[in-house]
Amino acid sequence: MKTKLAKVFAALSIVGLLASLNPSAFAAQSDDASETSKIHAAAQNATTRSDHEAVAKYYEDAATQIQAKVEEQKQLLEHYEDKSYLYGRRAQDLQSHTTALVRHYEKTVKTHIQEAALHRQMASKLEENHAVSGTQTASAADEL
């Protein structure tokens, strides 16, 4: 009986391991990671006003999406607090986990908004520099 149970357990363990190693399970994580690395590269290589504006727009859109997650998690937290009796011993764990997620998402939103503001500021400085250099070039051409 024990050997049969051990074989079933071993088979289930192997199936679980194979399922966790499935490439499609990592697809969403790798997509997020590659997108994050692309935006960091774009932010590092941004040289023109439109580059900085595109990066700022990305961060603003990401902040909007994450803010929606914040609202969703806050509603879930409210549900856990109001109906804790439905979850028994897990209620406090669910509440603390959801509270931690809300804090994490809010911190991420704040960071993204700061990044967007920084890139908007860089874009406006580039535009000011371009406008100043354009007027200097025009006045130099008038002197000729």
Side-chain angles (χ1 to χ4, degrees), residues 27-117:
Q29 291 176 353
S30 66
D31 287 346
D32 288 344
S34 68
E35 186 174 337
T36 302
S37 65
K38 286 180 187 177
I39 197 62
H40 285 302
Q44 293 293 325
N45 298 329
T47 56
T48 65
R49 181 180 61 87
S50 61
D51 291 345
H52 285 290
E53 286 178 352
V55 172
K57 176 146 178 46
Y58 168 81
Y59 279 117
E60 289 167 350
D61 292 344
T64 302
Q65 290 175 351
I66 295 170
Q67 186 62 43
K69 288 182 180 181
V70 167
E71 297 306 319
E72 184 179 302
Q73 292 299 316
K74 283 182 177 180
Q75 288 177 353
L76 191 59
L77 178 60
E78 186 177 321
H79 172 76
Y80 289 149
E81 290 171 348
D82 291 344
K83 310 273 185 184
S84 61
Y85 58 88
L86 295 174
Y87 301 98
R89 294 181 180 180
R90 294 182 38 222
Q92 288 182 337
D93 290 340
L94 292 170
Q95 289 172 8
S96 62
H97 177 74
T98 306
T99 302
L101 274 177
V102 167
R103 263 195 320 266
H104 172 72
Y105 287 153
E106 286 176 338
K107 183 179 175 183
T108 304
V109 166
K110 184 178 177 182
T111 303
H112 281 13
I113 289 172
Q114 289 173 343
E115 283 289 326

